[in-house]
Structures are given as structure tokens and as C-alpha cells.
Amino acid sequence: MELEYVWTEENLEKWMEVTSRWVSYQATESNPEGLTLLYNDLHKWLTEMGFELETHTDSEAPYRPVIIASKPPKKSDGKWLGFFQHYDVEPIHDAWESDPWTLIKKDERVYGRGIADNIGPLAHRLIMLENIDVDIGLLLVIQGEEEIGSPTMALFIEQNREALEADVIIIADSGNVKIGV
């Protein structure tokens, strides 16, 4: 299978719109409403993309459910590619030159809380997956508690081991230190 993906101006515009909205949600553990808003956006978008969704909610923190989104491979014996990622962001620890909850573009960079870890890469990945057609199965596990140490993840993985099976799983938690890296 040969696959080529080209990032377009339209993709960039959508990325800016989505990440601007997500940054404004202030999706931190101390702001359950922001986590719920971001979860709702993800749930809607993934449904529109044709993923089958399972939501796993912790009774002590129902505002940050785990999403398991899957699209089966085109062939019954096809391979699966999984992504493990998160939608929560760190609270503000240090002084910012601008409002951290408002996405801004400055000197060919974009700034906003969580934009590098991890809502920017998450939005990019979803836009890419919207625009490619693959034969493999896709499994996305997206959690909302990574920034507080994933307190329920070990139990979640143990209880959902079968639903989380894939041939390859990428832990998609990234940052971007400088342009070109």
C-alpha cells in the first residue's frame, strides 16, 4: 500500500480553528467543564469520521472519560494500528507573555496552553486521518487524565485488554521544542 498525505492550507485553517477552541476550554483537572467540552468535541468528531466509540467513565471523575475509537481493517485478517493519546492539559505554572487560554500566532509559531502537549498533535492526527484512506484498522485510545499521572489507566488497561489489542501501538504524546524538530 502506497500512501501519501499532503497537508493543505484548508487543513491548517481547520487545525487553527479546532486548536483555538480546544485551548480556550482550559481542559485541566481543576476545570471539569473544560475537560467535558473537549471530550464532547472529540466524541462528535470521531463519530462523524465513522469511528465506533466506547466511552469508559470513572465514577469519581465522570468529566474525563476514556474514549476507545475504532475502525476495522478492510480485510478481516488486516492489521491494526493503535494510538494512545490524551486530551487534558497542564495547568498554568509559570508566567506567560500572553493569555495561555487564547491561541496566538507569533513569529511562525503558535502559542496556547496544551498546544504542544497534546491537543495540537491530537488535532493534527485527526485531520490527517480524516483525509486518508487506509486498509488497516485504526484504534484510538484518548484519555483525559494523563497530566495528573493517569491514576485509573492501569485498571482501565487491565479491564479492557482485549479492546486495546493492535499490531502496533504508538504512544502519541509529543512536544515541539523548536522549528524543524
Side-chain angles (χ1 to χ4, degrees):
M1 172 178 64
E2 190 172 315
L3 180 67
E4 183 177 330
Y5 173 67
V6 177
W7 186 255
T8 66
E9 189 64 34
E10 291 81 24
N11 295 145
L12 177 59
E13 289 171 15
K14 182 169 186 173
W15 184 87
M16 290 291 290
E17 182 269 320
V18 168
T19 55
S20 181
R21 186 174 63 248
W22 287 0
V23 166
S24 76
Y25 290 162
Q26 303 181 31
T28 64
E29 181 64 17
S30 63
N31 184 22
E33 182 181 351
L35 286 164
T36 299
L37 288 168
L38 214 156
Y39 161 80
N40 288 337
D41 267 18
L42 284 167
H43 193 279
K44 180 177 185 259
W45 193 2
L46 291 163
T47 300
E48 290 169 354
M49 291 173 65
F51 281 89
E52 297 173 22
L53 301 181
E54 290 180 37
T55 298
H56 297 263
T57 304
D58 174 19
S59 61
E60 293 181 29
Y63 50 88
R64 53 172 156 80
V66 178
I67 300 169
I68 300 176
S70 61
K71 271 189 187 179
K74 292 185 177 174
K75 296 180 182 176
S76 61
D77 62 344
K79 301 291 186 189
W80 283 84
L81 172 62
F83 292 94
F84 194 91
Q85 50 218 326
H86 66 95
Y87 60 89
D88 61 321
V89 303
E90 283 273 347
I92 303 304
H93 300 294
D94 302 316
W96 281 58
E97 292 179 14
S98 60
D99 177 3
W101 305 117
T102 301
L103 192 71
I104 64 163
K105 189 173 180 181
K106 179 181 173 186
D107 300 325
E108 297 191 38
R109 300 281 295 193
V110 179
Y111 298 89
R113 191 53 163 168
I115 204 66
D117 178 20
N118 191 48
I119 58 178
L122 175 57
H124 183 270
R125 199 168 301 109
L126 293 179
I127 291 167
M128 178 198 61
L129 293 174
E130 253 182 345
N131 288 285
I132 62 173
D133 184 29
V134 296
D135 295 336
I136 60 172
L138 296 170
L139 174 71
L140 309 178
V141 180
I142 313 171
Q143 60 141 320
E145 61 176 30
E146 190 272 346
E147 298 297 0
I148 59 165
S150 303
T152 68
M153 276 300 102
L155 180 60
F156 168 80
I157 290 168
E158 182 180 314
Q159 292 175 340
N160 296 282
R161 188 170 301 277
E162 192 173 304
L164 303 176
E165 288 182 9
D167 295 284
V168 174
I169 295 178
I170 297 170
I171 298 176
D173 186 7
S174 58
N176 182 348
V177 179
K178 63 183 181 177
I179 294 174
V181 174

